Structure formats: structure tokens, C-alpha cells
Amino acid sequence: GDSVTQTEGQVTVSESKSLIINCTYSATSIAYPNLFWYVRYPGEGLQLLLKVITAGQKGSSRGFEATYNKETTSFHLQKASVQESDSAVYYCALRGSNAKLTFGKGTKLSVKS
Amino acid sequence: DTTVKQNPRYKLARVGKPVNLICSQTMNHDTMYWYQKKPNQAPKLLLFYYDKILNREADTFEKFQSSRPNNSFCSLYIGSAGLEYSAMYLCASSRGGTGQDTQYFGPGTRLLVL
């Protein structure tokens, strides 16, 4: 079946430093799945951060970027300069041929001032 | 307004007792979903309603029931709670029935079974 791997369960970054959260995927139901990043801020529901539906394209939102790399089957999330308000849990997800969302385990980002 | 609401936010249940969780949305979305999230695990789709049609995942088919009395509300029902049901339950909704539209999530209900 489809799967998403986020290798880091928790990441701590100093404010104004750069961030990368790794995500790799395996899609058996479809050649080129749609890819997503969701974010969960404390006390709130999951929110869509960005999505990319075409391989090779880049999505961006709120200073975050992710590029759909079909060669390496990766969709890493990056930000040049993080802020304390970015502290949250970030989930990578894919949507396969059955339109079902498959999530990674999530990466908790803590930004320290 | 893209709010999905869930009640209660926290639920304590006894083993063997029933549990009913409620979700509502006012976006007139066709599809409503229920996910289960356990610590250090990915959110897992349990079932979804497209309009009045219920679709349950094969591996959770017998463990969870659901109803959707109208477009705005959807419930998740556990007939006899076991310790393994302790988790966060996330409700989501989307406009279409193909899964192509963005899913909007509620804040979740944290269920603890003792």
C-alpha cells in the first residue's frame, strides 16, 4: 500500500535559523500521487499548509516551501528563517488513486528564542 | 467559515461501555471523515460518509459505526470500548466526493478508556 515516512519525530531549531523536515513516500496505487503538508498548532485542528499535485513543481505557503521530487520520491519541507510561532506538528501526506489521504507520523517542531 | 467542530474535546470511558463522538460542519460539505490518531503513529482513516453513503476501511470495519443524520453532523460510535480505543479522534470534511478537495479538520476528541 501507500506509505509516508518522516524520519524525525522531533526537531528543535533556534529562531531565525533554517529548517528542513524530511518526507519520503511510496505510492503503489498511483504513479504520481498528490502530496501535502498539514500543520497542527497547539489546541487546533490539522490545517493544510501546502499541496503539490504535479511532479517537479514546488508549493509554498507562509514562508514554507516543498518540492515534489519524483526521482527521489521526496517532499521535504523547508523554511529559510523560522519563528517561534512556527512551533507545531507537521504532517506529510499523499493522496493515491483511491483518493484516500495517507499520513506520516508527524514531526514536532520546537522553535527556541 | 471553515470550522469543523467536535464534541466533546475530552472523553473518559470505561471498558465495555459505549462511546459516541460528535462532529459538525457548516460548510455544506458532501464528505465527512473520521481518523484515529495514536501517539507516535500517523492519523489513520477509519471511515467516511459521502452524502449518505458510508465507506468503512476494511481493517476497522467491525469496530466502528457511524451515522450522518443530516449534512452537517456525523457521529462515531464504539459499541463496547476497549483499552486499545484510547486515542485522538479527528473529524474532517471536504466539499466533493472524490477526495480531490481539501479536507478541513476539527480539533479532535481525546478518548481515554479505563
Side-chain angles (χ1 to χ4, degrees):
Chain A
D2 298 336
S3 66
V4 175
T5 301
Q6 292 178 244
T7 52
E8 306 102 345
Q10 188 161 340
V11 173
T12 300
V13 180
S14 297
E15 201 166 24
S16 78
K17 298 298 184 183
S18 63
L19 166 74
I20 181 165
I21 297 178
N22 294 310
C23 172
T24 57
Y25 67 89
S26 172
T28 58
S29 66
I30 191 172
Y32 300 117
N34 299 162
L35 300 177
F36 305 80
W37 278 101
Y38 276 82
V39 59
R40 183 182 174 98
Y41 296 104
E44 299 182 17
L46 279 169
Q47 305 173 20
L48 180 65
L49 179 60
L50 58 86
K51 69 177 180 182
V52 179
I53 62 174
T54 304
Q57 299 295 309
K58 178 166 64 178
S60 61
S61 174
R62 307 180 209 175
F64 289 90
E65 294 182 340
T67 300
Y68 188 157
N69 189 322
K70 63 182 174 64
E71 283 78 26
T72 59
T73 62
S74 66
F75 191 55
H76 305 318
L77 183 68
Q78 301 183 71
K79 190 173 187 182
S81 176
V82 297
Q83 304 168 356
E84 206 165 342
S85 57
D86 293 325
S87 295
V89 183
Y90 293 81
Y91 294 89
C92 185
L94 71 80
R95 185 166 58 205
S97 64
N98 59 5
K100 185 175 86 171
L101 280 179
T102 298
F103 286 91
K105 292 183 179 182
T107 299
K108 182 177 182 180
L109 170 64
S110 298
V111 178
K112 58 181 184 180
S113 55
Chain B
D1 181 15
T2 56
T3 302
V4 177
K5 296 182 179 179
Q6 293 188 241
N7 287 298
R9 294 293 305 274
Y10 301 91
K11 175 72 176 177
L12 180 64
R14 297 296 180 186
V15 170
K17 297 298 184 182
V19 175
N20 197 44
L21 308 180
I22 303 296
C23 176
S24 64
Q25 51 88 14
T26 56
M27 297 174 279
N28 200 32
H29 281 172
D30 295 314
T31 308
M32 295 185 74
Y33 310 79
W34 281 100
Y35 291 83
Q36 181 189 63
K37 170 75 172 74
K38 292 186 175 182
N40 299 316
Q41 295 184 23
K44 177 184 176 183
L45 180 67
L46 299 176
L47 53 87
F48 67 93
Y49 259 102
Y50 171 55
D51 195 15
K52 294 181 173 60
I53 301 172
L54 174 61
N55 298 272
R56 289 186 282 183
E57 292 294 289
D59 57 347
T60 58
F61 191 86
E62 297 180 348
K63 296 182 178 180
F64 299 93
Q65 300 290 329
S66 183
S67 67
R68 192 176 184 186
N70 56 55
N71 179 268
S72 300
F73 287 88
C74 188
S75 68
L76 182 69
Y77 181 75
I78 301 167
S80 177
L83 296 176
E84 71 275 16
Y85 288 88
S86 293
M88 176 76 84
Y89 289 86
L90 305 175
C91 176
S93 69
S94 67
R95 184 179 56 186
T98 63
Q100 297 299 313
D101 297 286
T102 298
Q103 292 186 26
Y104 295 89
F105 284 81
T109 295
R110 189 174 296 277
L111 173 65
L112 178 61
V113 181
L114 298 175

